[in-house]
Amino acid sequence: MKVLVTGAAGHLGANITRSLVQQGREVRALVRESSPRDLLEPLGVEFAVGDIMDADSLVAAMKGCDVVYHAAAIYRMWSKDSDDIIRPTVEGSRNTLEAARKAGVDKVVYISTVGTVGFVSDPSKCVDESQFNTHSRGAYLRAKCLAERHALEFHLKTGLPIVVVNPGAIIGMHFTHTTPSTDFILDYLTKGAPAVFDTGFSFVDAEDVANGAVLAEERGTPGERYLLGGGNLSLREMYAALSQMTGLPKAGMKVPTPVASLMGMMLDAVSSFTGKPPLVSRELAHDFGGRYMFISSEKAKRELGYRYLEADEAMRRTVEWLVTRDFVPEPRRSSIRLT
């Protein structure tokens, strides 16, 4: 069966493509004309040049395909114009699903995010697939919530088999540009230990998510959601683990959530003039301050056979990739001593 992967040049898309190729699948990678192909060309995949905002290019790319992995999205936490994030995610997903329906594909694996499931305020607890996020104000999470709900409704309305997977904060290897998730680690390696506020994430290796997505295609039930998480760590715990494995300092002072919100308001005002993303935005402080994206992957383990690396190992692989691929400049790179 031929498989189309949208967003194949992105971090998760590239890992999904690798996983499929390693299983002997015939893969067509949807990329834009400007997309880097360094990690895809050695895999011997077929390329389709297109864009999820171009419905005609999607129809052409899906010709002859039996399965679609929809991994394309705008993964940015801030933009001067929030529509730059929302429109491609929501409208692009609608275009992709409609093209899949017209092409008569057998199944769509829809890549969402744990952000559509939500948060817990008590870090000893976890969210599961029964929950939906109605809390967020940030453009990225609002867009992903809208897009996922449309995907589930589209399945019910049209009968197109759609399985949704909800990854945690994806780190790991095989990327040509960083994301907000890998930036946590890159910023630490290049700029040093930051101040932190109370929040946390389920850090998961991209290869584990890719393998979980393939399992969802094989074993997942259409109309169901599957959380693909890893190790649940607060930011302070994450930086402590990074410090131990690299020899760099631990995280700095703790910033109370109200202070982070005030900082976000001030930095937003600066960013509205400069156009550069703030270190902390008001929306980011609202969405994440005092809340944790801690998840349970028990359903995916039980129904799909999903497995994942512990967070320390996923972080180590990320550090190795960032260092060996020269994301970290000298002399900072030479000061990192992985243990």
Side-chain angles (χ1 to χ4, degrees):
M1 297 195 301
K2 182 172 286 189
V3 182
L4 177 74
V5 180
T6 74
H11 188 186
L12 181 55
N15 277 273
I16 290 173
T17 301
R18 285 175 57 85
S19 182
L20 290 166
V21 169
Q22 288 168 357
Q23 294 190 18
R25 304 287 290 277
E26 186 178 359
V27 181
R28 182 180 293 160
L30 182 71
V31 295
R32 291 181 289 186
E33 194 68 55
S34 60
S35 298
R37 307 184 192 185
D38 312 45
L39 300 178
L40 299 174
E41 286 175 341
L43 301 176
V45 299
E46 177 187 354
F47 289 101
V49 177
D51 193 301
I52 58 173
M53 297 301 287
D54 180 351
D56 291 339
S57 72
L58 286 169
V59 172
M62 290 182 195
K63 186 175 181 180
C65 291
D66 303 284
V67 178
V68 172
Y69 283 75
H70 180 48
I74 302 297
Y75 188 14
R76 296 204 312 267
M77 303 307 293
W78 183 89
S79 175
K80 192 172 182 179
D81 182 356
S82 62
D83 199 47
D84 291 342
I85 297 173
I86 296 173
R87 185 168 172 264
T89 300
V90 176
E91 188 175 322
S93 292
R94 289 174 177 169
N95 290 341
T96 302
L97 295 178
E98 184 57 32
R101 184 191 67 79
K102 290 179 179 177
V105 303
D106 295 330
K107 183 173 279 189
V108 173
V109 180
Y110 185 91
I111 312 298
S112 186
T113 172
V114 64
T116 66
V117 178
F119 305 79
V120 290
S121 56
D122 180 350
S124 68
K125 300 182 183 299
C126 294
V127 295
D128 61 29
E129 290 84 355
S130 67
Q131 296 164 258
F132 281 88
N133 180 7
T134 59
H135 164 82
S136 292
R137 294 178 183 172
Y140 173 73
L141 291 182
R142 287 192 290 120
K144 295 297 284 188
C145 288
L146 289 169
E148 185 189 306
R149 284 187 179 274
H150 172 75
L152 294 170
E153 291 167 1
F154 194 87
H155 161 70
L156 293 175
K157 181 179 178 180
T158 68
L160 178 68
I162 301 172
V163 179
V164 176
V165 296
N166 304 79
I170 299 173
I171 56 177
M173 304 169 69
H174 308 299
F175 55 85
T176 57
H177 54 276
T178 60
T179 67
S181 298
T182 51
D183 279 339
F184 278 123
I185 298 176
L186 178 60
D187 288 348
Y188 173 76
L189 297 178
T190 56
K191 302 174 185 178
V196 295
F197 59 92
D198 285 329
T199 192
F201 304 89
S202 184
F203 291 97
V204 59
D205 193 281
E207 287 188 10
D208 292 333
V209 176
N211 292 334
V214 175
L215 288 169
E217 180 207 331
E218 298 170 351
R219 307 176 187 178
T221 302
E224 292 291 321
R225 314 158 85 200
Y226 295 92
L227 285 169
L228 305 181
N232 295 323
L233 296 176
S234 69
L235 279 190
R236 182 167 290 277
E237 289 171 333
M238 183 198 75
Y239 289 126
L242 286 171
S243 175
Q244 185 172 4
M245 73 177 66
T246 63
L248 298 175
K250 295 182 180 180
M253 61 178 288
K254 179 179 176 181
V255 178
T257 299
V259 175
S261 298
L262 182 60
M263 288 173 55
M265 292 177 64
M266 294 186 293
L267 293 173
D268 275 347
V270 174
S271 294
S272 66
F273 288 101
T274 66
K276 296 180 180 180
L279 180 64
V280 177
S281 69
R282 179 172 51 183
E283 291 176 342
L284 193 69
H286 172 272
D287 287 356
F288 295 96
R291 296 180 176 87
Y292 301 81
M293 278 188 172
F294 285 178
I295 64 179
S296 168
S297 298
E298 288 305 311
K299 179 180 178 180
K301 290 179 181 178
R302 183 176 64 252
E303 297 187 18
L304 307 181
Y306 173 66
R307 296 293 182 268
Y308 57 83
L309 295 172
E310 293 301 321
D312 283 8
E313 182 59 26
M315 285 190 286
R316 181 181 303 279
R317 285 159 55 87
T318 314
V319 172
E320 289 175 349
W321 185 264
L322 290 167
V323 170
T324 59
R325 294 287 170 142
D326 296 337
F327 284 89
V328 183
E330 291 288 8
R332 188 76 176 180
R333 184 163 66 240
S334 297
S335 68
I336 297 171
R337 297 286 184 267
L338 274 174
T339 60

